[in-house]
Amino acid sequence: MLKKMRKGGKCCGSDTDPLELHGLKKIVLVGNPNVGKSVLFNRLTGAYVTVSNYPGTTVEVSRGKGKIGDKYFEVVDTPGMYSLLPITEEEAVSRRLLLNEHPEAVVHVVDAKNLPRMLPLTLQLIEAGLPVVLVLNMMDEAKKLGLDVNVSSLQKRLGVPVVSAVFIKGEGVEQLKRVIKENGKLVS
Ligand SMILES: Nc1nc2c(ncn2[C@@H]2O[C@H](COP(=O)(O)OP(=O)(O)OP(=O)(O)O)[C@@H](O)[C@H]2O)c(=O)[nH]1
Ligand SMILES: [Mg+2]
């Protein structure tokens, strides 16, 4: 089932299709549950999004259209996942999305307060050859706890771009867009 929604819940019912996603390159947002993926999705996409069941499943996936520079992208908000080796139906859907939809960028959103728990998935994504950008979200809370994350050292050690963010305040969104634009397809 496909629902085209105007953000805020009302169905758009429009003749022209502001959500033409066909042929656009994809940016896929992944990460553990509750790390801020959907907050980022809302900041990257315009007024219209589609929410549909992933084929053959009851898992809902949101898709919207975002713009970086003068280029439009399809942005995909995936269900929370802990590992690329799926246990839940949600994780299986996220894995299939990542491996089958050939994203231009895979934005791994993590909670900066819990890096040791979050980074194993980053490594799995990198090992799978995906074009990963790591986003350390919730830096506001990490700072309150006195945690100091060395972004450039992490970036060097992982070999992928790392961006710090506070998405509820919009911080980090422009830098993330810049990184995606500059890196093009992020795989070598
Ligand atoms: N303090 C703080 N809270 C944030 C930040 N980003 C998101 N949140 C909050 O974290 C909660 C989870 O955000 P979501 O965007 O729903 O998380 P999600 O990753 O989409 O979660 P799932 O859909 O369950 O996988 C919400 O209450 C947000 O308001 C941030 O940078 N700082
Ligand atoms: Mg979400």
Side-chain angles (χ1 to χ4, degrees):
M1 188 178 58
L2 175 71
K3 289 179 267 183
K4 281 191 183 171
M5 305 291 288
R6 193 174 162 80
K7 278 181 189 163
K10 285 185 191 153
C11 182
C12 53
S14 152
D15 292 341
T16 55
D17 190 352
L19 236 189
E20 180 53 59
L21 298 174
H22 186 73
L24 296 181
K25 290 186 171 166
K26 295 179 190 187
I27 297 172
V28 177
L29 314 182
V30 294
N32 285 193
N34 228 26
V35 292
K37 297 181 297 297
S38 298
V39 173
L40 173 61
F41 177 79
N42 284 317
R43 290 198 176 264
L44 288 176
T45 56
Y48 297 98
V49 298
T50 64
V51 183
S52 62
N53 285 352
Y54 196 79
T57 74
T58 56
V59 178
E60 289 194 329
V61 174
S62 304
R63 296 171 190 267
K65 196 166 167 180
K67 198 174 183 191
I68 299 182
D70 55 2
K71 222 169 141 189
Y72 284 100
F73 286 86
E74 175 180 340
V75 185
V76 187
D77 189 13
T78 65
M81 70 188 304
Y82 290 100
S83 164
L84 261 187
L85 302 171
I87 294 174
T88 63
E89 191 183 26
E90 282 78 8
E91 287 177 321
V93 165
S94 293
R95 179 190 162 89
R96 279 163 63 189
L97 268 166
L98 282 167
L99 301 182
N100 297 342
E101 300 205 11
H102 307 292
E104 176 82 358
V106 171
V107 178
H108 183 204
V109 182
V110 301
D111 177 350
K113 304 190 297 297
N114 289 308
L115 288 185
R117 244 190 17 196
M118 308 259 152
L119 292 183
L121 178 56
T122 318
L123 294 176
Q124 288 183 358
L125 296 168
I126 293 170
E127 278 169 8
L130 293 164
V132 178
V133 182
L134 176 63
V135 175
L136 311 177
N137 190 34
M138 306 201 175
M139 283 301 273
D140 54 336
E141 293 185 347
K143 278 186 189 143
K144 268 189 210 148
L145 292 172
L147 296 171
D148 186 19
V149 185
N150 187 333
V151 173
S152 63
S153 151
L154 194 55
Q155 188 160 283
K156 270 192 206 119
R157 290 175 71 177
L158 291 172
V160 300
V162 181
V163 173
S164 58
V166 184
F167 287 142
I168 40 162
K169 293 189 192 154
E171 292 173 22
V173 178
E174 287 311 312
Q175 197 198 340
L176 174 63
K177 285 184 175 182
R178 242 187 340 267
V179 163
I180 292 172
K181 189 178 169 194
E182 281 164 11
N183 284 266
K185 189 98 184 167
L186 285 152
V187 278
S188 47

